[in-house]
Amino acid sequence: LTQKLLARTTPELEAIGAKVVESYKTGGLIFLQGELGAGKTTLVRGALQSLGITKPVKSPTYTIVETYNIANLTIQHFDLYRISNMEELELIGFRDYLTGYSLIFIEWPEIVQNFLPKANCKIKIDYHPEGREIIIYA
Ligand SMILES: Nc1ncnc2c1ncn2[C@@H]1O[C@H](COP(=O)(O)OP(=O)(O)OP(=O)(O)O)[C@@H](O)[C@H]1O
Ligand SMILES: [Mg+2]
């Protein structure tokens, strides 16, 4: 199932994140692709806020991963931009994050794509003259 959407504003992009995550409230693996500044973190922020996360959703650019907890769900938000190979990912215990029932968002999955499990949902964000174009492969 492929869906193409246009987000003219940041709040519209956040709303798309909220909509997408409705299907993954019990867990899932979600990949986000798109250039620097395309809006991957913005979409995740919308998703997490819609789930009731009240702490600020920061970009995991420097920390590689940010973790959030709500009722029955552990949520991990990865940004692999600074990772250059699978060994580096293993060092931060990446495998452990993939076990159990978690909702996992991964920005820049293409960097270690061949080592990752198949995603439940892939989201691609592109610059568009009127904002951002979002393509969702579920
Ligand atoms: N539809 C839109 N129109 C204009 N600006 C937008 C739109 N959606 C998001 N933005 C802005 O674009 C920026 C996107 O930044 P964001 O950190 O989400 O990108 P990113 O894809 O996660 O980048 P990185 O690869 O560096 O992590 C934000 O400043 C946001 O406000
Ligand atoms: Mg980001």
Side-chain angles (χ1 to χ4, degrees):
L1 185 89
T2 304
Q3 218 183 335
K4 196 190 271 190
L5 300 164
L6 179 67
R8 292 172 197 275
T9 62
T10 298
E12 278 184 30
L13 188 54
E14 290 173 347
I16 289 169
K19 185 75 194 154
V20 169
V21 84
E22 277 179 15
S23 304
Y24 303 100
K25 282 187 167 171
T26 57
L29 180 60
I30 301 176
F31 290 173
L32 297 115
Q33 294 184 267
E35 291 173 38
L36 285 169
K40 302 177 293 295
T41 298
T42 301
L43 188 150
V44 173
R45 180 174 298 120
L48 298 189
Q49 288 175 346
S50 78
L51 292 175
I53 303 290
T54 52
K55 82 168 177 175
V57 176
K58 299 178 293 175
S59 175
T61 309
Y62 297 98
T63 53
I64 311 295
V65 60
E66 293 286 339
T67 300
Y68 303 86
N69 288 291
I70 46 169
N72 292 311
L73 199 60
T74 299
I75 302 165
Q76 265 102 29
H77 177 197
F78 286 90
D79 182 337
L80 304 185
Y81 189 70
R82 284 162 194 281
I83 294 286
S84 42
N85 54 53
M86 195 56 204
E87 288 68 45
E88 287 181 17
L89 257 196
E90 299 286 8
L91 281 176
I92 63 161
F94 185 72
R95 292 280 157 205
D96 299 333
Y97 286 105
L98 297 180
T99 59
Y101 289 89
S102 309
L103 175 57
I104 303 177
F105 294 90
I106 304 183
E107 297 185 35
W108 296 101
E110 55 269 47
I111 290 173
V112 288
Q113 190 165 279
N114 298 339
F115 301 95
L116 297 177
K118 259 194 171 340
N120 300 108
C121 177
K122 281 191 209 180
I123 301 171
K124 193 161 185 307
I125 307 176
D126 286 307
Y127 286 92
H128 182 280
E130 290 175 54
R132 301 290 191 276
E133 183 180 81
I134 298 94
I135 304 174
I136 303 165
Y137 312 88

